[in-house]
């Protein structure tokens, strides 16, 4: 697989401050994929047993952290106020877990462990309304055995997944969402191949730093996930300050170009689909505006450059004691 076939996953430098006003990347320019090198080649010596052991190591590190306790408590308050009815947990763009680059593998496994644990904890709390929050640790590190009657089903997708990664997902009870062999993230008409049916108002969506391409964000936001943990929604605090409406405000010509309707598509076909493209664009704006300002992901003190820069969104946002009003700065979990 060439580097052009993978989503760009953004990582954080050790100097990144938790409340920095820097956005993940430019709000307008797509990132350049990292150079393809030996670190990105699949590690053929890594076995499923070793990968599972590595995952459990990272899972224990996550579960024992103060960051985890802070996040779960905050999500439970939001769940009770918002009466969430979650049925799906979807991780998109986690990166591979089985390359030669051990640092990237460890980071991806730790982020994925957080995704699985949060999904299991929310499933546990939905099923046990009077549960003590600390009991959520018993939900387990996989999705197949933690709850005999789960309400939440787990899904994951990334073009970077190797055959070993897919076996690993199967072991955890997570359904891999197929990516076409000829997929490229720079194909405008397929920003999220086969993923959109699994993202809706009953979905917990976790995307750890995929690149901020406007087309991809439009398709993500327009699906209105109930709980969204991922890159910062475009706002006035970013590196390129702009409101969601400014970010998505483009001409019909540009909109059709970004969605893959180039000059070779018949004019009649463009006019037929244009209303749907406008509706999707407006839905993305509405989602972003009702989720801001969001909350910072809690500080993970055990390791740097893992969760720094992630934001937590659910909504519509209501002013809470100790949290920011909509339109102001993000709140702190």
């Amino acid at each position: 697989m060439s580097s052009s076939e993978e989503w760009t996953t953004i990582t954080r430098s050790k100097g990144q401050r938790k409340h920095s006003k820097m956005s993940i990347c430019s709000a307008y320019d797509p990132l350049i994929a990292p150079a393809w090198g030996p670190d990105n080649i699949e590690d053929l010596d890594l076995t499923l047993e070793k990968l599972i052991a590595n995952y459990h190591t990272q899972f224990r590190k996550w579960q024992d952290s103060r960051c985890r306790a802070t996040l779960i408590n905050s999500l439970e308050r939001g769940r009770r106020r918002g009466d969430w009815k979650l049925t799906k947990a979807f991780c998109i763009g986690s990166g591979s877990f089985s390359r030669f680059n051990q640092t990237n593998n460890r980071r991806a496994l730790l982020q994925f462990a957080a995704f699985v644990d949060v999904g299991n904890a929310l499933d546990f709390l939905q099923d046990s309304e009077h549960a003590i929050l600390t009991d959520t640790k018993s939900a387990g590190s996989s999705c197949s055995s933690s709850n005999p009657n789960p309400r939440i089903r787990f899904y994951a997708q990334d073009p970077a997944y190797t055959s070993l990664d897919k076996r690993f997902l199967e072991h955890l009870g997570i359904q891999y969402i197929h990516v076409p062999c000829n997929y490229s993230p720079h194909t405008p008409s397929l920003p999220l191949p086969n993923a959109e049916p699994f993202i809706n108002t009953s979905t917990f969506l976790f995307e750890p730093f995929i690149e901020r391409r406007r087309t991809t964000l439009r398709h993500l936001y327009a699906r209105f996930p109930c709980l969204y943990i991922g890159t910062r929604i475009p706002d006035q605090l970013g590196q390129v300050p702009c409101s969601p409406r400014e970010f998505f405000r483009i001409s019909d010509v540009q909109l059709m170009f970004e969605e893959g309707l180039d000059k070779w598509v018949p004019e009649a076909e463009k006019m037929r689909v244009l209303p749907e493209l406008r509706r999707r664009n407006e839905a993305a704006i509405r989602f972003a505006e009702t989720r801001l300002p969001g909350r910072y992901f809690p500080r993970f003190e055990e390791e740097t450059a893992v969760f720094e820069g992630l934001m937590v969104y659910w909504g519509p946002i209501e002013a809470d004691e100790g949290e920011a009003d909509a339109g102001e700065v993000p709140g702190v979990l």
Side-chain angles (χ1 to χ4, degrees), residues 2 10 45 58 105 124 146 166 193 236 270 277 311 318:
S2 68
I10 299 93
D45 292 329
Q58 300 307 317
N105 290 347
F124 181 83
S146 59
K166 295 171 187 177
Q236 297 296 341
K270 291 181 181 179
L277 299 184
M311 300 291 292
E318 296 180 359

Side-chain angles (χ1 to χ4, degrees), residues 6-216:
E6 297 189 16
W7 286 317
T8 302
T9 300
I10 299 93
T11 56
R12 322 302 293 156
S13 66
K14 291 185 178 181
Q16 179 85 19
R17 292 181 60 85
K18 176 186 174 188
H19 293 170
S20 170
K21 293 187 178 182
M22 297 290 285
S23 64
I24 302 304
C25 67
S26 167
Y28 298 100
D29 299 325
L31 295 180
I32 299 174
W36 189 252
D39 283 350
N40 289 322
I41 298 175
E42 182 177 357
D43 184 356
L44 298 179
D45 292 329
L46 183 64
T47 64
L48 179 60
E49 291 72 22
K50 290 180 181 178
L51 180 54
I52 293 171
N54 293 342
Y55 168 73
H56 284 300
T57 297
Q58 300 307 317
F59 192 91
R60 287 191 296 270
K61 180 189 292 187
W62 162 255
Q63 276 214 326
D64 292 340
S65 69
R66 184 187 305 176
C67 171
R68 188 260 185 196
T70 302
L71 179 63
I72 296 298
N73 274 276
S74 180
L75 293 179
E76 171 58 2
R77 292 197 303 271
R79 186 190 70 84
R80 288 184 179 275
R81 288 198 305 270
D83 191 28
W84 301 349
K85 303 296 183 184
L86 296 172
T87 61
K88 294 178 286 295
F90 198 125
C91 179
I92 186 169
S94 69
S96 174
F97 314 115
S98 57
R99 304 289 183 176
F100 268 115
N101 190 318
Q102 298 301 313
T103 299
N104 286 349
N105 290 347
R106 185 178 68 253
R107 181 188 298 115
L109 283 173
L110 185 50
Q111 292 172 345
F112 201 75
F115 159 70
V116 172
D117 179 59
V118 169
N120 275 333
L122 291 172
D123 194 24
F124 181 83
L125 290 166
Q126 284 187 153
D127 199 44
S128 309
E129 288 298 329
H130 302 291
I132 300 173
L133 289 178
T134 53
D135 290 344
T136 59
K137 286 190 176 182
S138 65
S141 58
S142 68
C143 309
S144 55
S145 59
S146 59
N147 187 343
N149 299 298
R151 300 187 187 186
I152 297 178
R153 300 194 64 176
F154 288 74
Y155 306 89
Q157 184 187 66
D158 195 310
Y161 285 154
T162 65
S163 58
L164 178 58
D165 292 330
K166 295 171 187 177
R167 290 166 56 204
F168 169 67
L169 294 176
E170 183 180 7
H171 171 81
L172 295 182
I174 297 174
Q175 181 177 338
Y176 165 69
I177 303 303
H178 176 70
V179 177
C181 295
N182 61 346
Y183 170 75
S184 167
H186 304 291
T187 302
S189 58
L190 284 174
L192 301 170
N194 303 325
E196 290 183 70
F198 300 92
I199 305 173
N200 56 32
T201 55
S202 62
T203 300
F204 156 40
L205 179 63
F206 183 74
E207 57 91 354
F209 308 120
I210 63 172
E211 62 178 320
R212 290 167 57 113
R213 296 181 66 238
R214 183 162 48 202
T215 307
T216 302

Side-chain angles (χ1 to χ4, degrees), residues 262-277:
D262 57 25
K263 61 182 180 180
W264 305 112
V265 177
E267 196 66 24
E269 176 65 13
K270 291 181 181 179
M271 293 302 101
R272 186 185 68 81
V273 301
L274 182 57
E276 173 61 21
L277 299 184

Side-chain angles (χ1 to χ4, degrees), residues 196-197 199-201 215 217-225 245 248-252 255-256 259 261 270-289:
E196 290 183 70
I199 305 173
N200 56 32
T201 55
T215 307
L217 295 183
R218 180 185 301 119
H219 282 252
L220 278 179
Y221 295 174
R223 300 300 298 175
F224 269 77
R245 190 162 295 277
F248 287 107
R249 185 174 58 198
I250 56 177
S251 67
D252 287 346
L255 179 60
M256 288 188 289
E259 294 289 339
L261 298 176
K270 291 181 181 179
M271 293 302 101
R272 186 185 68 81
V273 301
L274 182 57
E276 173 61 21
L277 299 184
R278 290 171 176 164
R279 184 206 63 78
R280 180 186 294 152
N281 201 57
E282 190 60 34
I285 294 172
R286 191 165 65 253
F287 170 83
E289 289 179 338

